[in-house]
Amino acid sequence: MAQSGRDWHAVQTTPQNITQHFKAIYAEGEADPETTCKSGLQVRQEAGRQVRRTVRHYSLEVILAVGYRARSARGTQFRQWATAHLSEYLLKGFVMDDERLKNPPVGESALPDRFGELLERIRDIRASERRMYLRVALLSCRQHKRSIHLMLKYFVSGNQGSLPRCLHGEWPRHST
């Protein structure tokens, strides 16, 4: 995102205020200016003449940091949105943008379609050995009316090799 006044309307604050936030973010070591800021030349027509200006472009990391610092109605909305998604991530271990997944970008969209990547990651997780043992063990507990807590304790203690016996209801007599 460029550092011009009209580009910061998203957080409803002035370019001077945004510049102060950038300085504080870099001074506090929250982000590294070498890796999060790039200067570029902007050339455009203004009042019949060609104007050249150096414009700074900031990474998403710095833009998010500004969103957490901006004291405005839009800044508050951003923090509420971010907190809700971060809370969901911490509680569930994932966050999904359901609307973006249901309505993929079409044509010349700036947003890439990540659905294939999501499917690949889900396949990898589902194929993991630990996940498979836990799923089978849960089904076995339901079938044989066993405690999932005792079963997990048994499997975690390194007894995965006896999975076929447990599936047939041959659980050990002790509760290791």
Side-chain angles (χ1 to χ4, degrees):
M1 179 175 282
Q3 182 195 355
S4 65
R6 69 184 200 298
D7 291 335
W8 290 103
H9 69 279
V11 289
Q12 295 176 335
T13 190
T14 65
Q16 295 81 9
N17 192 14
I18 296 298
T19 300
Q20 287 178 334
H21 287 309
F22 285 142
K23 287 179 182 177
I25 288 165
Y26 293 136
E28 294 168 9
E30 186 173 342
D32 176 25
E34 296 294 319
T35 59
T36 60
C37 180
K38 180 181 177 186
S39 293
L41 184 63
Q42 182 182 53
V43 181
R44 65 182 188 184
Q45 289 292 116
E46 290 182 8
R49 62 189 173 96
Q50 196 174 56
V51 178
R52 296 170 183 254
R53 287 194 181 91
T54 301
V55 180
R56 291 185 177 160
H57 296 271
Y58 295 91
S59 70
L60 181 59
E61 175 186 349
V62 175
I63 293 167
L64 291 173
V66 169
Y68 273 104
R69 292 168 182 250
R71 298 289 174 230
S72 65
R74 291 291 289 168
T76 299
Q77 287 175 334
F78 166 76
R79 288 186 295 281
Q80 290 169 336
W81 171 86
T83 299
H85 286 79
L86 183 57
S87 296
E88 183 177 0
Y89 175 77
L90 292 172
L91 292 172
K92 294 181 180 177
F94 66 92
V95 176
M96 291 176 49
D97 185 344
D98 296 348
E99 288 307 310
R100 189 183 304 180
L101 292 170
K102 290 177 190 174
N103 304 302
V106 292
E108 299 289 323
S109 174
L111 295 173
D113 187 3
R114 303 276 189 204
F115 192 70
E117 178 184 345
L118 176 63
L119 290 177
E120 183 60 36
R121 291 173 73 177
I122 290 171
R123 274 192 287 275
D124 184 51
I125 291 166
R126 291 184 71 191
S128 76
E129 186 176 356
R130 179 181 174 93
R131 178 62 65 184
M132 189 273 304
Y133 278 127
L134 289 174
R135 184 72 180 144
V136 169
L138 179 62
L139 293 172
S140 176
C141 283
R142 285 181 184 159
Q143 180 181 359
H144 299 292
K145 296 180 175 60
R146 296 285 185 157
S147 162
I148 188 70
H149 175 71
L150 290 176
M151 183 281 312
L152 286 174
K153 193 173 175 184
Y154 180 70
F155 277 99
V156 170
S157 68
N159 294 305
Q160 292 93 345
S162 56
L163 178 64
R165 288 195 331 257
C166 291
L167 290 176
H168 293 293
E170 300 173 19
W171 285 69
R173 298 286 179 221
H174 55 83
S175 61
T176 55

